[in-house]
């Protein structure tokens, strides 16, 4: 698509040049590139040959598709769907039935080694189990063929990346991640989270268009630009964690003051993703920003190992690690999460040994707040 074609198409959809350039600047920020790189991004997005994409949905809730379509303004989808050639997507395409399947077959046959496969949802591990069949074919059969012929495969969301909810104990469909269902697939990139953040998916495509290769990955094959930092390390409430200022009850004074949610089950110390910086819904807010703990949705097997969601990570006093060191927790959480938890414990021990504000001091804050509320109520009554 030429530059003028892309801009004309975007303008027809109500996306101005200014909004397009703002999108390119936001992509540069997510990718950790200097502001000046946004011009190169704009050039690459405008002038590059459209990459061909096929988007497969298996055992999923379509939450990643929803996330992609409901991103900020100008919508990521508007810009990217005009930049890429989305040849197959069950939820978005107009064609249905045989016509839709023919579009997929056609792409796989004619563009072998050229297209990018995006996979949403987990894949039942038995080819003849009868779970998740599309057009009479099992998900595993389709994934093997489509991902096997792709230039790259992007697992979108935690179900495709790690198995997600379908793979949670007892895993009745023997659900697998893309990596486990189609081992050895070329250029596999995992975009975990439930759902994956549309801005990160967009940034991945933009990176590929601009730099011409795929970004550096972590040990779970996730791009470092999106998963290179712990939630805890970039969290706006981190100063409260370091000072030992915790929410202890929903709606208490500490909660209203925006204190740390660690005691309320926050899994930020064991979770990597750029949520604190990129946020959600067009940078409107993010879970911790609005007072809810991180539930660790970007990490392996979070439905098993991060639950109960509102129970805190290991108890520091006496380190009640039994829940985390039980066979399930230990095998599923992995070294990184264990390291992160250890980091959280280390930090907690550090402040407990150091200058943690006393309970009395916190009580004074609470009391003051309650007093303020009471006097406010008193004033209201007058
Ligand atoms: S425990 Fe959670 S709320 Fe507290 S600083 Fe870490 S990430 Fe933020
Ligand atoms: S804050 Fe935590 S639970 Fe929420 S989206 Fe980010 S990683 Fe997932």
């Amino acid at each position: 698509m030429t530059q003028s074609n892309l801009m004309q198409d975007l303008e027809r959809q109500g996306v101005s040049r200014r909004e397009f350039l703002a999108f390119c600047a936001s992509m540069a920020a997510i990718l950790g590139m200097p502001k000046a790189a946004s011009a190169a991004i704009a050039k690459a997005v405008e002038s590059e040959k459209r990459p061909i994409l096929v988007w497969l949905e298996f055992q999923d809730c379509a939450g990643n598709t929803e996330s992609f379509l409901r991103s900020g303004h100008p919508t990521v989808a508007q810009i990217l769907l005009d930049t890429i050639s989305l040849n197959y997507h069950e939820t978005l395409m107009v064609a249905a039935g045989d016509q839709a399947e023919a579009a997929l077959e056609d792409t796989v046959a004619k563009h072998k080694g050229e297209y990018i496969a995006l996979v949403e949802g987990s894949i039942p591990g038995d080819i003849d189990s009868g779970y998740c069949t599309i057009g009479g074919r099992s998900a595993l059969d389709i994934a093997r063929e489509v991902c096997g012929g792709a230039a790259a495969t992007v697992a979108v969301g935690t179900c495709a990346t790690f198995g997600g909810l379908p793979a949670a104990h007892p895993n009745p469909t023997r659900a697998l991640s893309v990596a486990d269902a189609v081992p050895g697939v070329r250029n596999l990139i995992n975009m975990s989270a439930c759902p994956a953040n549309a801005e990160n998916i967009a940034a991945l495509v933009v990176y590929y268009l601009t730099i011409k290769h795929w970004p550096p990955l972590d040990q779970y094959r996730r791009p470092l630009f999106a998963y290179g930092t712990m939630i805890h390390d970039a969290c706006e409430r981190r100063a409260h964690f370091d000072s030992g200022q915790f929410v202890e009850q929903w709606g208490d004074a500490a909660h209203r003051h925006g204190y740390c949610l660690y005691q309320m089950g926050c899994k930020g110390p064991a979770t990597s993703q750029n949520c604190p910086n990129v946020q959600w819904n067009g940078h409107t807010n993010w879970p911790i920003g609005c007072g809810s703990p991180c539930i660790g949705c970007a990490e392996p097997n979070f439905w098993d190992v991060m639950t109960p969601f509102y129970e805190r990570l290991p108890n520091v006093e006496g380190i009640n690690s039994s829940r985390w060191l039980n066979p399930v927790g230990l095998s599923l959480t992995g070294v990184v999460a264990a390291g992160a938890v250890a980091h959280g414990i280390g930090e907690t021990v550090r402040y407990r040994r150091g200058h943690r504000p006393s309970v009395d001091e916190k009580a004074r804050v609470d009391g003051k707040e309650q007093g303020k509320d009471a006097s406010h109520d008193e004033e209201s009554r007058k």
Side-chain angles (χ1 to χ4, degrees):
M1 176 174 276
T2 64
Q3 174 171 337
S4 55
N5 277 347
L6 175 69
M7 274 324 302
Q8 280 165 12
D9 279 359
L10 291 177
E11 275 162 20
R12 262 198 300 275
Q13 294 180 47
V15 180
S16 68
R17 175 93 190 145
R18 180 187 287 259
E19 288 171 316
F20 171 67
L21 292 177
F23 164 79
C24 295
S26 75
M27 290 294 106
I30 292 172
L31 292 167
M33 293 176 174
K35 218 174 174 182
S38 54
I41 290 174
K43 196 165 164 221
V45 171
E46 284 174 325
S47 62
E48 276 306 303
K49 202 177 146 208
R50 305 168 103 185
I52 298 168
L53 259 67
V54 295
W55 186 304
L56 305 173
E57 280 188 71
F58 296 130
Q59 293 192 129
D60 73 318
C61 64
N64 295 283
T65 297
E66 286 288 333
S67 169
F68 186 65
L69 291 177
R70 299 188 194 290
S71 47
H73 184 78
T75 68
V76 170
Q78 268 178 311
I79 288 170
L80 278 188
L81 292 180
D82 278 296
T83 305
I84 58 182
S85 183
L86 192 55
N87 282 18
Y88 179 87
H89 190 308
E90 281 174 33
T91 307
L92 301 182
M93 66 197 304
V94 176
D98 289 345
Q99 268 187 334
E101 295 316 303
L104 179 62
E105 279 167 27
D106 200 48
T107 302
V108 171
K110 288 191 185 151
H111 300 282
K112 196 171 168 60
E114 293 171 11
Y115 62 88
I116 299 166
L118 288 100
V119 182
E120 180 175 4
S122 65
I123 301 167
D126 299 318
I127 208 151
D128 53 1
S129 67
Y131 293 117
C132 194
T133 61
I134 300 160
R137 294 175 69 193
S138 73
L140 186 56
D141 191 28
I142 297 168
R144 279 179 183 161
E145 187 195 358
V146 177
C147 300
T153 295
V154 182
V156 183
T158 291
C159 294
T161 299
F162 298 124
L165 182 61
H169 182 76
N171 192 355
T173 64
R174 225 170 65 72
L176 299 174
S177 65
V178 175
D180 288 337
V182 198
V185 71
R186 256 173 95 193
N187 292 325
L188 174 66
I189 295 155
N190 286 325
M191 302 295 289
S192 61
C194 189
N197 193 319
E199 312 290 329
N200 287 338
I201 301 171
L204 178 69
V205 176
V206 163
Y207 186 100
Y208 181 68
L209 291 174
T210 310
I211 311 288
K212 316 278 189 297
H213 57 77
W214 297 102
L217 307 175
D218 71 4
Q219 72 275 36
Y220 295 127
R221 303 198 62 80
R222 303 178 300 186
L224 285 172
F225 72 77
Y227 302 91
T229 308
M230 286 280 169
I231 298 271
H232 188 59
D233 289 337
C235 180
E236 63 205 38
R237 300 184 186 221
R238 177 58 185 267
H240 292 298
F241 178 93
D242 290 341
S243 304
Q245 295 173 317
F246 296 106
V247 176
E248 288 175 0
Q249 264 189 346
W250 300 119
D252 68 6
H255 199 202
R256 295 198 294 278
H257 279 297
Y259 283 7
C260 173
L261 295 157
Y262 179 75
Q263 308 273 27
M264 304 306 288
C266 184
K267 307 302 187 294
T271 306
S272 299
Q273 203 180 186
N274 54 3
C275 305
N277 299 323
V278 174
Q279 306 198 346
W280 293 82
N281 300 325
H283 209 82
T284 305
N285 208 340
W286 69 298
I288 289 173
C290 63
S292 168
C294 168
I295 60 171
C297 78
E299 294 305 309
N301 308 294
F302 83 100
W303 290 99
D304 285 324
V305 302
M306 299 292 192
T307 46
F309 290 135
Y310 297 141
E311 233 174 61
R312 71 177 179 180
L313 288 170
N315 193 341
V316 174
E317 277 165 348
I319 306 183
N320 172 20
S321 56
S322 57
R323 203 180 87 71
W324 286 84
L325 296 183
N326 70 25
V328 174
L330 190 61
S331 61
L332 297 183
T333 306
V335 176
V336 170
V341 172
H343 166 77
I345 292 170
E347 290 293 310
T348 313
V349 169
R350 184 176 65 73
Y351 76 71
R352 283 190 182 240
R353 285 189 185 139
H355 301 289
R356 183 187 183 206
S358 67
V359 172
D360 288 345
E361 191 180 325
K362 281 209 295 165
R364 273 202 302 281
V365 172
D366 285 3
K368 218 167 150 189
E369 178 69 18
Q370 278 159 14
K372 200 166 86 190
D373 286 348
S375 61
H376 176 76
D377 289 348
E378 194 58 38
E379 274 168 27
S380 314
R381 275 197 293 277
K382 283 178 197 165

